Amino acid sequence: MYNIVNWISAWAIPVVIVFIPLYAAYRKVPVYESFVEGAKEGFDTTIRIIPHLVGMMVAISVFRASGAMDLMIGWLKPICERLGIPGDIIPLAFLRPITGAGSLAFTTDLISEFGPDSMIGRIASTIQGSTDTTLYVITVYFGAIGIRRAGYALKVGLISDAVGFIASIAICSLVFA
């Protein structure tokens, strides 16, 4: 079974990449012209969202450089450890909604330090897979289409990240403890 899944994984993307243009050509869709038009729209979208991305990057940098994140983690770590939540994963709860690359780097460090089969490694991996980069998603997608009021989406996104964080801890504790 493992070999079959491995084979499908290796061939899935090349098959899709070849199939889509061939199917479009069969349907008499101007493949190259459609691609160029889409690339133009993508470039325009990129230009429109740059100010939103710069604003988000500045806010993240200020949050981390000011020591506010370290202060919040310092307050929460003893409380979480009393509740049975490993304190080493607390920074991941703050990083994941903000930055995908930063949270992945932090998860990689946790796995390197504690091991992939440790409770911390398993919880961090589960958090990484069950939460999203909410602030980045709102910045990029809402900025791309010009939505100015993102308050409700932000609240729902952060609540779902909190639920994913708590559920990851609970499920890993049930399954692996």
Side-chain angles (χ1 to χ4, degrees), residues 18-123:
V18 169
F19 174 76
I20 290 174
L22 288 176
Y23 182 71
Y26 169 75
R27 300 279 306 215
K28 301 202 181 353
V29 173
V31 177
Y32 183 74
E33 291 80 7
S34 297
F35 173 79
V36 170
E37 188 62 32
K40 269 199 255 184
E41 289 176 19
F43 185 73
D44 293 340
T45 301
T46 302
I47 297 299
R48 280 197 319 267
I49 66 172
I50 285 176
H52 301 282
L53 287 172
V54 169
M56 184 186 72
M57 298 291 186
V58 169
I60 292 168
S61 297
V62 168
F63 180 64
R64 293 183 78 191
S66 69
M69 187 168 113
D70 293 333
L71 186 65
M72 289 174 69
I73 291 167
W75 287 341
L76 291 174
K77 196 170 185 177
I79 296 166
C80 290
E81 287 181 346
R82 284 190 193 127
L83 296 172
I85 300 169
D88 293 309
I89 63 164
I90 301 302
L92 191 55
F94 292 105
L95 286 174
R96 184 65 180 148
I98 297 171
T99 169
S103 65
L104 182 59
F106 187 79
T107 299
T108 302
D109 289 344
L110 287 176
I111 290 171
S112 295
E113 183 177 343
F114 297 101
D117 293 329
S118 68
M119 184 59 83
I120 290 174
R122 289 175 172 162
I123 291 172

